[in-house]
Amino acid sequence: MALTDIPYDIRAKDAGLNVYSIAEADADGNCRLLCPIPANPTFNCYSIAKAFTVLAVGLCYDRGIMAPTMRMADVLGKYLPADADEKWRRVTLHDILRHRIGYGAGQLDIDAEDPLKWGSDDYLSLAFKAPLVSEPGMERQYTDAAYYLVSRMISEVTGEKVVDLLRPALMKTMKFRELAWSTCPYGYSMGATGLYLRTDDTVKLGVLWLRGGDWFGERIVSETWVHTVLTCGYEFVPKLADATSVWYGKGGMRGQMLTFNPKKGLAVAWNAYGKVPFEVIIQ
């Protein structure tokens, strides 16, 4: 495969978009980085972080210690308050990964709210106190609380924070240059947001998915998990399709994006500030 000659940076500039960096990579590992607007080398990926949490779930799935069918209460039940809604007992990991816990509003959004006003530094307790207005698995309510719960489940079954679980794969095998993840006051990775990466490292997750979970001879995650993620829509969803192929993408607040196209064998990521129409960059 080969990289394209698409002028992503010129497209962004011509559209007047505040895009700082764009990385394109192919399934062979070739990568190019374009910087329409000079900026710091690392960026908050915001909700793209959720896609990396999905990868962490995959590592646990391959070890046989997590599965979409497992109930959240079987892992975190000891933290449930005595007066918690009984519907929590029916919430599965599959429900959480698809934002179908039963919430009626978003929770634990550290990017848009002031956590100091929440009245507690125990984010898990706050997540459990929020009312569940619908049956788990039914109604979708996008919320950062979902992936904070996933982060806590991962830590409970592995004894590691999500960032520590992923560090060997990302930094030793996939050669990420920098990696930092915002935590709750108790030190657990937020899971949903607050992941700081370079754009040309972020795009590598797309390459990993293009390669079915293999990183040039070293298996990071199983093909089964890759298939499960795309089939179930665990964060990566179809963003743009033409007559022959589909781009799967995961966006982040304020204009971040990671997308890949299995048919074309290409992955593209960008970091920005402000609304960035997907179709302007990917045509």
Side-chain angles (χ1 to χ4, degrees):
M1 298 186 182
L3 298 178
T4 69
D5 58 359
I6 297 173
Y8 298 109
D9 52 340
I10 295 175
R11 286 180 180 175
K13 284 184 177 180
D14 288 349
L17 302 174
N18 291 317
V19 177
Y20 303 126
S21 61
I22 306 171
E24 180 189 56
D26 64 19
D28 293 328
N30 301 305
C31 182
R32 65 170 174 150
L33 179 67
L34 303 169
C35 298
I37 300 175
N40 292 330
T42 59
F43 303 89
N44 188 346
C45 298
Y46 294 101
S47 283
I48 291 176
K50 295 179 177 71
F52 283 86
T53 300
V54 168
L55 174 62
V57 174
L59 300 185
C60 297
Y61 173 83
D62 291 341
R63 294 181 187 179
I65 56 177
M66 291 188 83
T69 55
M70 71 191 309
R71 296 187 184 278
M72 183 282 301
D74 291 339
V75 180
L76 300 177
K78 65 183 179 182
Y79 301 108
L80 278 170
D83 60 350
D85 191 315
E86 56 87 22
K87 289 194 288 293
W88 277 109
R89 300 288 176 182
R90 299 193 290 276
V91 174
T92 66
L93 178 59
H94 180 64
D95 298 331
I96 300 172
L97 290 170
R98 298 189 306 145
H99 299 275
R100 284 175 165 78
I101 294 171
Y103 286 132
Q107 307 293 332
L108 302 187
D109 188 347
I110 65 171
D111 300 318
E113 302 176 25
D114 181 358
L116 297 179
K117 297 180 179 179
W118 290 348
S120 173
D121 63 1
D122 185 346
Y123 291 3
L124 193 57
S125 175
L126 291 171
F128 288 147
K129 286 181 179 179
L132 300 187
V133 300
S134 62
E135 187 65 23
M138 300 302 292
E139 302 295 327
R140 186 176 191 272
Q141 172 60 60
Y142 189 85
T143 173
D144 283 359
Y147 278 71
Y148 178 70
L149 287 172
V150 176
S151 172
R152 293 297 300 267
M153 291 176 71
I154 291 170
S155 292
E156 195 69 20
V157 300
T158 65
E160 294 185 89
K161 308 301 192 296
V162 174
V163 68
D164 296 327
L165 177 67
L166 287 174
R167 185 174 287 110
L170 299 184
M171 301 203 76
K172 293 184 179 180
T173 303
M174 298 173 69
K175 306 301 182 186
F176 280 37
R177 285 180 290 171
E178 297 185 62
L179 171 66
W181 209 322
S182 297
T183 72
C184 73
Y186 290 7
Y188 293 96
S189 305
M190 285 305 299
T193 189
L195 178 62
Y196 291 81
L197 299 172
R198 291 174 179 251
T199 310
D200 48 343
D201 284 335
T202 301
V203 77
K204 292 176 182 178
L205 182 61
V207 174
L208 181 66
W209 251 242
L210 290 175
R211 297 180 59 84
D214 168 80
W215 192 257
F216 304 98
E218 186 161 347
R219 175 63 56 183
I220 301 294
V221 70
S222 66
E223 286 188 274
T224 299
W225 183 248
V226 172
H227 176 75
T228 298
V229 168
L230 298 185
T231 301
C232 296
Y234 295 159
E235 294 308 299
F236 282 117
V237 297
K239 296 293 291 185
L240 183 70
D242 57 30
T244 61
S245 61
V246 175
W247 287 91
Y248 292 92
K250 175 56 191 172
M253 185 177 176
R254 301 193 174 105
Q256 325 315 313
M257 178 57 64
L258 169 60
T259 184
F260 61 94
N261 187 315
K263 185 77 171 183
K264 297 180 184 294
L266 288 174
V268 181
W270 61 83
N271 290 101
Y273 186 85
K275 184 176 177 59
V276 179
F278 188 89
E279 296 79 4
V280 173
I281 307 297
I282 303 294
Q283 296 180 1

